[in-house]
Amino acid sequence: MNAGEIIAWHFASRSPFRLTWSDGTITALADAPVAPPKHRWVAPPLVDLQVNGYGGVDFQQDNLTLEELVAATRKLHAAGCGSYLLTLITDAWPALMARLRHLRNLRVQSPELRDAIAGWHIEGPFLSGEPGFCGAHDADAMCDPQPEHIRELRALTGDDAVLLTLAPERLDAIAAIAQAVSLGIKTSLGHTNAPMKRITQAIKAGATGFTHLGNGCPRDLDRHDNILWRAFETKGLVVGVIPDAIHVSPRLFRLMHRVLDASSIYYTTDAMAAAGAPPGRYQLGRLELEVGEDQVVRLPGRQNFAGSALKPVEGVFRAAHMLGCDWQEAWPRASATPARFMGLPHGLHVGAPATFCVVEVTPDNLLDELRVYVRGELIESPAATLP
């Protein structure tokens, strides 16, 4: 029988409590009858809104198998991620939609995948084709959004949660944002060099997010006017950040948390196949990427970043290290904030799935051990370490 209990410290209240579950569902949350070990904590699962691949599996391949997708998802679970938006990047629109249709067909075959894949993130092809702003995306495949694109995306995804990243400076992008929002699709700005006026128009049309701020732009920017300054001055956006200390420098990371509303920042890995896998060469769609011992993902022979090799739980502890704060302060930005942004169910409460993380932390705020339960079942989780 799938039942049990955990006595630990609650990550938010920092009080001792007991979590009890039965048949994969949380049945009780109560004060702990005895004191738990000093450094054992329970926290809700992480939610990642941008996963391009994981554990050696590239989600951009046309012939992805059910076994590969399940294996990648289990490795994500083992790294603390309870649910995620499977992300597809720029390609010709018919190829992109065929890939999405195939992935939805895989998901419906597995209760495990239906639980874990909370929806879809479509990052492109409606992005800037300018050098630097297109990032590792294929600039030749970029195009302007048309009404039929948005209608097809919604028809194909049904009631699924969908996040669409686009550059508002593209022709007809403002109308596309309004149309997408009217159909229940979340829209996020990204890979953009839009002027402030255009960003303001996008927000009025219903855009509410900014995708991996600090990335999808050239390494060298105009110090007087650039996309970072424009985003910093823009109110009303929920901003995604990659907390690996690589894509965004620690100094810029700290500045973001001072300038932006900290409750409107969420963390994402932007993981590709190399995440949760050894260094080497991996595919991201048609691209062959190289990942060194430093975990930086690059096009061979170039300095441009192309996704990350970050594990979800590592992102939390790297963020805490960069900010000089307790890990408990950083955790919600990788769990509650992205879930709230996408309207996904989340949290530890009676009646919720018994999906949670048991986090063992050293006295100096480093991750020592992670155990992850998914619907009450312990997922095999090797100890994670941080540099």
Side-chain angles (χ1 to χ4, degrees), residues 28-376:
L29 296 171
D31 293 338
V34 296
K38 187 175 181 180
H39 301 296
R40 179 188 296 164
W41 301 80
V42 167
L46 303 177
V47 178
D48 198 331
L49 302 188
Q50 194 166 4
V51 182
N52 311 282
Y54 200 85
V57 178
D58 178 23
F59 295 164
Q60 315 307 309
Q61 57 182 309
D62 292 323
N63 58 348
L64 185 70
T65 67
L66 178 64
E67 292 73 21
E68 288 173 323
L69 188 53
V70 168
T73 296
R74 287 177 179 169
K75 289 180 179 179
L76 273 165
H77 283 332
C81 182
S83 60
Y84 64 98
L85 295 188
L86 192 152
T87 302
L88 294 176
I89 66 170
T90 299
D91 204 340
W93 188 256
L96 201 59
M97 292 300 97
R99 205 165 290 137
L100 178 57
R101 187 175 294 107
H102 173 62
L103 288 163
R104 290 191 84 243
N105 288 337
L106 293 181
R107 186 181 68 162
V108 78
Q109 298 175 46
S110 165
E112 186 174 356
L113 293 180
R114 290 197 296 272
D115 262 1
I117 302 175
W120 317 95
H121 183 170
I122 308 302
E123 188 189 11
F126 316 129
L127 308 176
S128 172
E130 289 185 48
F133 291 98
C134 64
H137 292 247
D138 183 359
D140 293 335
M142 302 300 188
C143 64
D144 298 321
Q146 300 299 317
E148 55 268 25
H149 292 142
I150 308 303
R151 287 196 296 268
E152 182 179 8
L153 176 60
R154 183 75 283 177
L156 178 55
T157 53
D159 295 330
D160 293 347
V162 179
L163 177 62
L164 176 64
T165 292
L166 47 67
E169 64 266 36
R170 295 216 69 102
L171 185 65
D172 295 327
I174 303 304
I177 291 170
Q179 180 187 13
V181 171
S182 73
L183 295 175
I185 296 172
K186 283 277 186 180
T187 61
S188 185
L189 312 182
H191 288 274
T192 174
N193 192 26
M196 196 68 191
K197 180 178 180 180
R198 196 70 165 173
I199 293 173
T200 301
Q201 291 172 340
I203 293 172
K204 288 182 178 178
T208 53
F210 201 108
T211 297
H212 55 45
L213 183 62
N215 302 285
C217 61
R219 294 172 64 89
D220 298 320
L221 294 170
D222 184 337
R223 67 178 181 178
H224 298 295
D225 180 25
N226 62 63
I227 193 62
L228 291 175
W229 301 168
R230 293 171 218 151
F232 286 168
E233 283 199 322
T234 301
K235 305 299 182 184
L237 293 178
V238 180
V239 174
V241 183
I242 303 172
D244 61 357
I246 297 168
H247 284 75
V248 176
S249 71
R251 219 171 250 113
L252 177 56
F253 190 80
R254 288 189 289 271
L255 180 62
M256 287 178 173
H257 286 73
R258 292 174 189 152
V259 174
L260 301 171
D261 181 353
S263 66
S264 294
I265 296 174
Y266 72 87
Y267 300 151
T268 180
T269 60
D270 193 17
M272 46 79 70
R281 292 207 171 190
Y282 295 89
Q283 291 298 126
L284 180 61
R286 297 189 185 95
L287 298 174
E288 183 180 59
L289 303 174
E290 189 172 54
V291 184
E293 295 288 346
D294 58 4
Q295 289 191 302
V296 179
V297 182
R298 294 188 178 96
L299 292 165
R302 295 172 61 182
Q303 292 301 308
N304 303 67
F305 299 149
S308 87
L310 183 67
K311 296 178 182 179
V313 71
E314 287 180 345
V316 172
F317 282 83
R318 291 190 187 188
H321 179 72
M322 286 188 284
L323 295 174
C325 69
D326 292 339
W327 67 271
Q328 294 95 329
E329 183 180 330
W331 193 278
R333 298 189 194 112
S335 57
T337 304
R340 185 171 60 247
F341 174 55
M342 288 303 301
L344 303 175
H346 187 261
L348 302 176
H349 54 85
V350 174
T355 300
F356 54 89
C357 299
V358 180
V359 186
E360 302 274 355
V361 182
T362 67
D364 49 354
N365 204 39
L366 294 177
L367 179 62
D368 185 46
E369 183 181 357
L370 173 70
R371 284 177 288 142
V372 181
Y373 290 78
V374 175
R375 290 195 173 271

Side-chain angles (χ1 to χ4, degrees), residues 4-8 17-19 21 40 42 356 358 371 373:
E5 71 172 25
I6 290 286
I7 295 177
F17 84 125
R18 176 171 61 187
L19 184 155
W21 72 90
R40 179 188 296 164
V42 167
F356 54 89
V358 180
R371 284 177 288 142
Y373 290 78

